[in-house]
Amino acid sequence: MAIILRLDRVMADRKMSLNELSEKVGVANVNLSKLKTGKVSAVRFSTLDAICRVLKCQPGDILEYQPDEE
């Protein structure tokens, strides 16, 4: 897939644990864990908005596009 999730890197930069982010964002720990490991096929804009608000970042800090090699 061409979209890479970098939530783990942003969380590490902010020194925030998954449990703390889950509590502040209001999303289940298991769902954030899937986001963190890139095991999701979709992200709600409301979830992305909440994550960016809590982590004080831009969506581009969390999502990265890497084109597939042809």
Side-chain angles (χ1 to χ4, degrees):
M1 177 177 278
I3 302 295
I4 312 264
L5 289 160
R6 301 290 187 196
L7 181 59
D8 56 343
R9 184 172 58 190
V10 177
M11 288 173 58
D13 289 347
R14 307 294 190 276
K15 296 178 176 54
M16 188 171 293
S17 71
L18 194 62
N19 288 335
E20 185 180 357
L21 183 62
S22 172
E23 188 177 299
K24 290 182 177 187
V25 170
V27 173
N29 195 322
V30 67
N31 292 334
L32 283 181
S33 179
K34 287 179 182 178
L35 262 176
K36 185 177 172 189
T37 58
K39 296 182 179 172
V40 294
S41 59
V43 180
R44 291 179 185 261
F45 280 136
S46 59
T47 301
L48 186 58
D49 175 72
I51 290 170
C52 289
R53 182 175 24 84
V54 169
L55 293 176
K56 295 178 177 63
C57 68
Q58 293 295 314
D61 297 330
I62 295 171
L63 303 170
E64 181 179 323
Y65 175 71
Q66 285 188 349
D68 293 330
E69 297 293 324
E70 292 185 29

